[in-house]
Amino acid sequence: MTTAATVEEAAPQAGLLAAFESALAEDSRIEPRDWMPDAYRATLIRQMAQHAHSEIIGMQPEANWISRAPSLRRKAILMAKVQDEAGHGLYLYSAAETLGVGRDELLDKLHAGRQRYSSIFNYPTLTWADVGAVGWLVDGAAITNQVPLCRCSYGPYARAMVRICKEESFHQRQGYELLLALSRGTEAQHAMAQDAVDRWWWPSLMMFGPPDTESGHSEQSMAWKIKRHSNDELRQRFVDICVPQAEVLGLTLPDPDLRWNEERGAHDFGDIDWTEFHEVLRGNGPCNEQRITQRRTAHEQGAWVREAATAYAAKQGTEHGEVR
Amino acid sequence: MNPVLVSTALPLGDDALVLAQRLGEWAGHAPVLEEDVALANIALDLLGQARVLLSLVGDEDELAFGREERAFRNVQLVEQPNGDFAHTIARQLYFSTYQELLYTELAQGDSELAPLAAKAVKEVAYHHDHARQWTLRLGDGTAESHERMQRGLDALWRFTGELFQPVEGLGTDLGALREPWLERVSAVVRQATLTMPEGPDVTSWSAGAGRQGIHTESFGRMLAEMQHLHRAHPGATW
């Protein structure tokens, strides 16, 4: 009996799977009400949650400099940027909601250490120039990763990414312009800019994830058209974009093996320290503890505010009910 | 330097700058993501107003980063530390109500501040609405939020009288704004099931003090943090 029931259930399932696969093959979008395999849904939730968490944790290293920005113009730019990141967090949590998971549930998982955020935010912003380096390199790497996501097979995610990428590319230009001003400024400012680039270059290259030979999720994500290019392809693209930009900046990239390879039509670059990458991922980066503690503290200290808002909304609802 | 603008644009510019600086401290610490967005947005509006106002007086960065504590003309209310979210909302309610009344008046006048006021009054109306809505939610939310909101209103009350001290050259009778301000604030407070603070709204020590360059202790520390980097690189451009 069990076998018969399974066969009966499997038949419509097979039809749904075929429809899903043909939608992928035609490059059309999967929408929230469309049937999708559980594993596709789970992969998207994991990736979108990680992305949303990265936006809100990513506010911290930059907000670290809002109070100290050295001119009012820079302060305004930085405030607007941090505000945009909170906004990106909101779009992404909303997009994830279309898959049936609420923001509260995802935040609980983040706070419990059961979902990740981008490891890059476990590095500290030590000087003002770090604000520029984060904009140029970290946002630059994020854009390289995210532009292909605008064509991701899941509609709400793809559409959120279109908007996010526009704002991110604005942030990247602002970061670059900040570094350019420092590089062309006083000797101390130039040194500050070079030091920041020296510290952020390698962690930025790690943002593309482990090499293709070791990347666990890549193959399935490519088949589902969630991911469109491999980690190594994107990393190479990023290096090739950055080299000429660094030259214009008048700053050097901290890699003695970095050189143009005529044959490949691309830059060769040195070996990435994957031990560092795995250590930071495991929680042993310079700021892992600090970042998650600040996030949890803000959430816990804000609990009474959220409870008040809920209680107030409930009272309003009741009162309106009584009036009617 | 136009002396009238020094005596009018500088105090109002300092109010906006200092409150923007305080609100900026919330980034990444707000109780809910929507408030990270909202408080940053309000801070940005205020910073924009400050930049216009300070630029009427001189170089905005020299004024923001180069002056000592005693040269700032902001009211003491805006420099008060954020405290908890209710404390920040109480500060917002008191100040945005004041700023909305003041900018409405200035926008109707023909002073050099009129164009800025006409633009800013729209922003400030939103700030006021934000503060009003949160005062209602917190006041009429839970027992804890009610108590915290009342504590915020009470703690900041003694800094409100200074808002209505005259500012020379402004062409607006600030004292006359006190009645409509009280009416508006108390309407929100009552609706939120809270009570209007009692006791003096100034102390003999603090009356008009911020406008005369007398500030509270935490202000010096706030300025030290704000100005440090700029001052560490004299003559540099950013």
Side-chain angles (χ1 to χ4, degrees):
Chain A
M1 255 182 89
T2 314
T3 317
T6 312
V7 170
E8 269 166 36
E9 277 166 18
Q13 182 98 350
L16 292 167
L17 183 62
F20 171 79
E21 282 174 349
S22 84
L24 287 186
E26 287 163 13
D27 252 342
S28 63
R29 294 273 160 83
I30 309 297
E31 295 298 337
R33 289 178 185 189
D34 295 341
W35 182 90
M36 61 189 84
D38 290 345
Y40 175 84
R41 185 185 299 272
T43 297
L44 277 170
I45 290 173
R46 180 181 59 80
Q47 184 170 334
M48 289 161 77
Q50 174 166 337
H51 193 163
H53 298 332
S54 301
E55 295 284 356
I56 63 167
I57 295 278
M59 293 165 70
Q60 292 183 29
E62 303 197 78
N64 183 36
W65 283 94
I66 288 178
S67 66
R68 295 176 286 172
S71 74
L72 295 186
R73 175 174 163 263
R74 293 288 178 199
K75 192 191 288 289
I77 290 172
L78 185 56
M79 264 186 192
K81 182 180 179 193
V82 174
Q83 186 194 17
D84 283 349
E85 278 152 11
H88 295 172
L90 281 175
Y91 310 154
L92 288 163
Y93 286 120
S94 302
E97 264 170 31
T98 65
L99 292 165
V101 280
R103 197 203 308 177
D104 291 343
E105 184 184 339
L106 296 178
L107 284 175
D108 287 345
K109 285 185 175 157
L110 168 68
H111 297 151
R114 288 192 288 131
Q115 280 180 343
R116 293 183 189 283
Y117 55 88
S118 175
S119 257
I120 193 74
F121 301 119
N122 291 317
Y123 289 86
T125 48
L126 299 178
T127 73
W128 170 250
D130 288 33
V131 172
V134 167
W136 177 42
L137 296 174
V138 175
D139 291 337
I143 293 163
T144 310
N145 264 330
Q146 291 169 6
V147 164
L149 286 174
C150 299
R151 294 188 298 123
C152 156
S153 58
Y154 188 58
Y157 192 26
R159 288 188 288 273
M161 290 318 301
V162 171
R163 193 161 162 190
I164 289 173
C165 282
K166 277 185 197 157
E167 293 181 357
E168 290 293 353
S169 74
F170 196 58
H171 297 165
Q172 195 224 5
R173 282 201 297 269
Q174 288 169 335
Y176 186 82
E177 194 256 333
L178 190 164
L179 281 179
L180 192 63
L182 293 179
S183 180
R184 294 180 177 174
T186 65
E187 211 173 300
Q189 285 176 308
H190 182 89
M192 195 192 282
Q194 184 61 59
D195 168 61
V197 169
D198 288 348
R199 281 181 290 109
W200 287 92
W201 174 249
W202 290 107
S204 302
L205 294 191
M206 295 176 198
M207 285 176 70
F208 297 93
D212 295 348
T213 47
E214 291 170 29
S215 179
H217 301 294
S218 285
E219 209 174 306
Q220 182 61 71
S221 287
M222 300 267 266
W224 278 331
K225 296 190 176 175
I226 294 173
K227 199 177 161 100
R228 300 262 178 180
H229 307 279
S230 80
N231 294 353
D232 287 332
E233 273 171 44
L234 290 169
R235 189 169 8 248
Q236 180 69 57
R237 185 179 297 177
F238 178 67
V239 170
D240 291 336
I241 290 169
C242 287
V243 171
Q245 291 180 346
E247 276 165 27
V248 176
L249 278 176
L251 298 171
T252 56
L253 297 171
D255 179 358
D257 297 326
L258 188 65
R259 62 181 58 83
W260 178 250
N261 181 328
E262 193 62 57
E263 216 170 284
R264 290 203 304 124
H267 291 87
D268 291 338
F269 52 97
D271 292 333
I272 293 170
D273 180 359
W274 292 112
T275 313
E276 176 178 318
F277 174 77
H278 290 296
E279 278 301 305
V280 178
L281 210 58
R282 255 201 292 274
N284 301 325
C287 301
N288 299 57
E289 190 56 39
Q290 176 189 332
R291 299 287 186 242
I292 203 70
T293 300
Q294 179 179 324
R295 185 84 267 300
R296 272 193 214 123
T297 306
H299 194 72
E300 283 161 13
Q301 289 183 349
W304 68 270
V305 177
R306 298 189 299 277
E307 282 158 18
T310 308
Y312 178 76
K315 282 184 200 177
Q316 292 306 103
T318 319
E319 279 161 25
H320 290 157
E322 281 166 3
V323 171
R324 275 184 226 121
Chain B
M1 213 181 276
N2 178 337
V4 175
L5 284 174
V6 173
S7 73
T8 58
L10 198 58
L12 303 190
D14 285 348
D15 283 350
L17 173 63
V18 170
L19 188 54
Q21 178 76 9
R22 281 298 187 205
L23 290 173
E25 293 170 13
W26 271 105
H29 297 273
V32 56
L33 201 45
E34 282 81 354
E35 285 308 297
D36 273 309
V37 176
L39 294 172
N41 190 43
I42 295 169
L44 265 174
D45 285 344
L46 290 165
L47 186 54
Q49 295 165 18
R51 295 182 64 192
V52 173
L53 288 162
L54 295 182
S55 298
L56 289 172
V57 181
D59 179 86
E60 60 175 25
D61 287 333
E62 264 175 47
L63 288 165
F65 299 99
R67 279 180 299 159
E68 298 292 331
E69 184 179 344
R70 296 276 281 105
F72 276 79
R73 292 287 175 265
N74 55 284
V75 289
Q76 292 182 350
L77 175 66
V78 293
E79 76 202 32
Q80 296 310 306
N82 289 335
D84 66 8
F85 187 69
H87 197 84
T88 289
I89 292 300
R91 193 181 59 198
Q92 285 303 109
L93 180 69
Y94 288 156
F95 189 73
S96 66
T97 307
Y98 165 75
Q99 228 189 2
E100 192 179 7
L101 289 166
L102 174 57
Y103 281 171
T104 303
E105 284 269 315
L106 290 175
Q108 288 160 0
D110 54 4
S111 76
E112 285 177 80
L113 306 187
L116 173 271
K119 178 175 175 285
V121 77
K122 293 175 202 139
E123 298 167 353
V124 173
Y126 160 74
H127 304 175
H128 178 256
D129 192 46
H130 173 264
R132 190 183 70 87
Q133 291 199 31
W134 272 112
T135 304
L136 295 179
R137 284 188 199 110
L138 299 181
D140 197 12
T142 63
E144 181 182 3
S145 69
H146 179 90
E147 193 196 324
R148 285 179 185 256
M149 192 63 223
Q150 187 66 56
R151 224 185 295 154
L153 292 171
D154 291 347
L156 293 168
W157 181 248
R158 69 195 173 93
F159 297 106
T160 58
E162 191 191 352
L163 298 170
F164 309 102
Q165 300 287 330
V167 167
E168 202 185 324
L170 200 56
T172 295
D173 179 5
L174 287 175
L177 297 183
R178 193 164 184 284
E179 272 314 304
W181 181 87
L182 259 181
E183 239 169 69
R184 284 173 195 222
V185 169
S186 54
V188 177
V189 167
R190 271 199 307 273
Q191 198 189 339
T193 72
L194 297 158
T195 49
M196 280 300 276
E198 286 173 5
D201 63 3
V202 290
T203 66
S204 54
W205 165 245
S206 72
R211 295 278 186 242
Q212 290 152 27
I214 303 285
H215 296 280
T216 46
E217 281 187 347
S218 66
F219 184 58
R221 196 165 282 109
M222 190 207 88
L223 275 191
E225 183 175 333
M226 182 175 101
Q227 295 179 335
H228 149 263
L229 178 61
H230 182 94
R231 287 187 180 221
H233 297 264
T237 49
W238 300 93

